[in-house]
Amino acid sequence: MLKGNNITVRYGEHTVVDDLSFTIEEGQWLMLVGPNGAGKSTLIEAISQGVPYSGAFQLDGKDLRRYKPNQMARKIGVLSQNNSVGYGYTVDEVVGLGRYAYTTGFLSSADAEGGEQVQRALEATGLTELRHASVLTLSGGELQRTFLAQVFAQNPQLLILDEPANHLDLVYQQHIFSLIAQWLKTPGRAVLSVVHDLSLARRYGTHAVLMHQGRCAAQGEIAAVLTKENLHKVYHMDVYAWMQEMLQQWR
Amino acid sequence: MKKRTETFSLGIYLLFVAALTSSMLLCICLGSVSIALSDTVTALHNSLWGLEIPAGIAKSIILNVRLPRVLNVALVGAALSLCGAAMQGLLRNPLADGSTLGVSSGASLGAVLALALGITLPGTTHGGVMLMAMLFAFLALVAILGLAYGLDRSLSTNSIILIGVIFSMFASSLINLIISFAGERIKSITFWTMGSLSGTHFGHSLILGVAVLVLGGVILGYSRELNAFAIGEENARHIGVNVRRVKLIILVAVSALIGICVSISGTIGFVGLVVPHMTRMLTGPNHKRLLPASLFAGAIFLLLADLVARTLLRPVELSIGVVTSLVGAAAFVAIFWRTRKAG
């Protein structure tokens, strides 16, 4: 589905992503893991064409640079890390904008499936009751669900998530990840997400790319990547022992 | 949690038209000489259908003085307010307006130069000022966007605001420098910089009308994109908006419209800032409603401000910019106070 070939991103003299290659196929949930500053969010920015990069991303065999913004938005949906809205739009209006790519054209607004997709996205995220509420009145979790509903309404093949459970309490973390897992069950879809919590990555991911200082330290199936040795190389600590110590407190 | 529809119904538009028409009629009737509503309506009706206007009706005041002025005031008010609403959405900043870009300062610089140097166009009264204002508005736009692009290829909002503010300050200091060497022309320059639509004619109405129709039409056509920008530029890119192209088109349309308005009316402050702000409280932030409502509200607001400017200290006429700034500043403080109190 999506192939990244020799991707390099530089901010001036500083190389943030360094010659990284990866592949994600249909049905996979690829977790981008690694310590802070490893280049995970920058890689996502590059995929969404938000920063200049060298190398190429191939989406269904075609260079991503050759996609028009609306064509790309029909294939790839991105949920950012920090979403905030300055004006009092309703949940409905924010989610409805997810259909923008299907209605482009000056003054055009026809989108036959739009209403149904928005309705389904609101139902999936449990926002039907709040659809006419102003986003300024929502909690952090509700706002994150609103933007997730917007991406669902966008109906992409590939869902890219940058720390989707950031700032959310445990209930919402579990809720959001379950929603995404449910979304992935439909054939023809894939998920790529940046996750800091290795337990969440292990629980929901099928594959992983472990990043360190902009480079790929390991990649493949999740269990093969998140090994004690690989994690020690990247985090410079015994992650397994730390996790077990944390769990011991609850026993 | 009341449901709001995306666009206004025909009934609401008719209400807007009725409110605007009433305001225009009121402004034609009132002034240093008061004219009966029936006389005004008869004069306008007969003139429109080519009929003879009965003797005793102040035909010249209605048709040659007040009507063009009222038309120009309404068009400038509509344009400034529309541009302000668009800029507040595009830059995701409720304190932005058409002047945030620095284009109106550029236009002012051109006009002040024309007034100070006595640049005129043969056969016109203010042709030189208008031409120089439009030329400098365009040059300012090219300079600001060129600098913003050179600094950051993605034309980021922060770069545009920063360069716009710096350019405005630079243009203001140049204007002050010109004023200090302007000699006896200082009065006309000062009056122009405070904004006025007295002495404007149907030629101006034609230019403003076409500008509002074409450039305003472009801005209205990008309502959905403005909603996306108002929610967040990054989000706009993710849902498929061609961010750089749309931003460039809206900035050019706003700048051209502001440049044309400033070249005709001088600098009129606060309309683009306060009117969209107040309108948003009634319509909500969706640009499909906010833009058309701001257009009508701006026209009505400026008509009433012009009426106050003409009648408050009769026979002395105040500058319209002074009235809008006074009313606008007071309204802005009230809005700010209410918003902060509401938490």
Side-chain angles (χ1 to χ4, degrees), chain B residues 52-77:
Chain B
E52 199 180 322
I53 297 168
I57 291 181
K59 172 183 157 187
S60 178
I61 295 178
I62 295 171
L63 298 180
N64 300 335
V65 181
R66 293 208 185 143
L67 181 62
R69 178 171 179 155
V70 159
L71 274 175
N72 293 332
V73 168
L75 286 165
V76 168

Side-chain angles (χ1 to χ4, degrees), chain B residues 12 19 35 37 48 55 62 80 82 95-96 104 112 125 129 173 192 207 236 240 246-247 251-252 286 290 296 316 340:
Chain B
I12 300 280
I35 298 164
L37 180 63
L48 195 63
I62 295 171
L80 293 179
L82 181 71
L95 293 178
S104 56
V112 167
T125 42
V129 175
S173 50
W192 188 88
I207 295 170
V246 170
K247 195 190 278 188
L251 287 177
V252 169
N286 191 328
L290 177 64
F296 282 98
V316 177
R340 296 295 290 219

